[in-house]
Amino acid sequence: QFGVIDFAGGIVIHTSAGAGALVAAIYLGRRRDFFDYMGECPPSNLPLAATGAALLWMGWFGFNGGSALAAGNLALSAVVS
């Protein structure tokens, strides 16, 4: 109806994860020394952050392309968009 292809219930998963993250952020409050760095914490380990971002990126492409269960137009559409 809206032109959305929901692979593996992604909308429900992302909505519940976002709500859980919001509740956790409200419960935990601000970071220690939040105002010492004007709201920005200095990076602690850039190689580890880059590795995590690369793994997340590769996993996202593998999950969305693999959810079509075939290497066809639907999988290509999921990976490109």
Side-chain angles (χ1 to χ4, degrees):
Q1 197 172 14
F2 293 113
V4 175
I5 300 173
D6 186 13
F7 286 119
I11 293 173
V12 174
I13 291 169
H14 285 91
T15 302
S16 60
L22 179 63
V23 169
I26 291 171
Y27 177 76
L28 293 174
R30 290 192 171 142
R31 297 177 182 171
R32 281 180 281 148
D33 304 327
F34 182 78
F35 292 109
D36 292 345
Y37 297 105
M38 292 179 279
E40 293 185 15
C41 290
S44 59
N45 193 340
L46 290 177
L48 189 60
T51 302
L55 287 171
L56 184 64
W57 184 71
M58 288 174 52
W60 184 86
F61 276 115
F63 176 77
N64 281 344
S67 291
L69 299 177
N73 291 335
L74 187 60
L76 179 65
S77 174
V79 169
V80 171
S81 62

